[in-house]
Amino acid sequence: MELYTKEFPAEICEPIEVFYKSFDLKSKNYERYHFVVAYEDNTVLGFITFHLEVTYSIGYIVYLVVNEKARGKNIARTLMNEAEQTMKTLCEENGTTLKTIMLECEKDAQGNSHLAGFYDKFGFEQYEINYYQPGLRSDAPVPMNLFVKSLESHNNQQFAIEYIYRTKYGTCNEIDEHIINDLLSNMR
């Protein structure tokens, strides 16, 4: 987990207990949470974590991290492709089709995300919404950009956003429901 804590600013770095809780949820709900690791010679090159809500055909990439020494070797590209393919396969195995994948990304003072060009290569578009990640340690919410990839015509992107937001931050992070409701009402 050193790679994780090194790569993300403290205000968006979840407590390690949230990872454990997410794994516990996976055991209770077969296809909800996934953790994919790229490694070579017992060295972690990177990892990607994602939630998949098969019932609603929604995927949510939580973290994509690549070891500084492994950058430029297409590790991030490989992990992104693996995550999307896994989501598609699991949806198909459950009689549905993946419709939406989302991810959130830090933004600078001007509202730009330094990884926007990378996500664009995978078909993600910045979704125009006043998006905030809830404070993960009882601190203030963090303004972020939300990127969405629509794989199929989806009539209600707002529903997908709200559903995955409640699942991720309510169920996994145990953020108070009132805080989540307030943040979601300000995102519309």
Side-chain angles (χ1 to χ4, degrees):
M1 297 314 299
E2 180 182 328
L3 178 61
Y4 164 72
T5 56
K6 179 182 172 193
E7 292 299 319
F8 288 100
E11 67 269 11
I12 65 169
C13 195
E14 295 175 314
I16 195 69
E17 295 80 25
V18 173
F19 278 96
Y20 296 135
K21 180 164 182 61
S22 296
F23 284 121
D24 187 45
L25 289 174
K26 181 178 170 88
S27 67
K28 292 177 184 173
N29 187 337
Y30 177 58
E31 298 302 346
R32 180 167 272 172
Y33 188 73
H34 299 266
F35 193 103
V36 179
V37 179
Y39 61 93
E40 182 178 79
D41 299 326
N42 293 323
T43 300
V44 174
L45 303 178
F47 67 84
I48 191 166
T49 66
F50 61 92
H51 288 270
L52 178 63
E53 296 297 325
V54 172
T55 304
Y56 297 105
S57 307
I58 305 167
Y60 175 74
I61 296 172
V62 183
Y63 294 109
L64 172 63
V65 182
V66 176
N67 186 319
E68 194 173 15
K69 296 174 184 172
R71 292 191 183 145
K73 297 181 180 181
N74 290 319
I75 303 299
R77 178 179 304 279
T78 301
L79 290 167
M80 287 287 286
N81 288 333
E82 178 71 19
E84 182 173 335
Q85 188 55 53
T86 300
M87 289 183 221
K88 286 179 178 178
T89 299
L90 291 170
C91 280
E92 289 168 7
E93 288 174 357
N94 285 280
T96 188
T97 303
L98 182 65
K99 294 178 182 162
T100 305
I101 305 173
M102 292 176 265
L103 60 88
E104 57 188 36
C105 187
E106 309 93 293
K107 64 181 180 179
D108 62 23
Q110 291 75 39
N112 301 312
S113 293
H114 68 284
L115 292 171
F118 175 76
Y119 296 132
D120 182 61
K121 294 176 185 176
F122 293 92
F124 285 85
E125 295 179 4
Q126 187 173 330
Y127 194 78
E128 294 303 320
I129 189 171
N130 190 26
Y131 190 85
Y132 283 84
Q133 179 189 71
L136 300 177
R137 293 181 169 78
S138 300
D139 49 357
V142 179
M144 306 279 271
N145 283 328
L146 182 69
F147 290 85
V148 177
K149 179 176 183 174
S150 295
L151 299 159
E152 187 177 286
S153 177
H154 196 275
N155 294 335
N156 194 345
Q157 291 286 36
Q158 191 64 33
F159 169 81
I161 292 165
E162 289 185 20
Y163 183 83
I164 206 74
Y165 196 87
R166 289 181 191 285
T167 300
K168 166 68 178 112
Y169 294 115
T171 304
C172 295
N173 292 76
E174 298 180 337
I175 304 291
D176 183 87
E177 184 178 350
H178 293 92
I179 293 171
I180 290 174
N181 288 338
D182 286 345
L183 289 169
L184 284 171
S185 69
N186 290 324
M187 287 186 206
R188 295 187 183 117

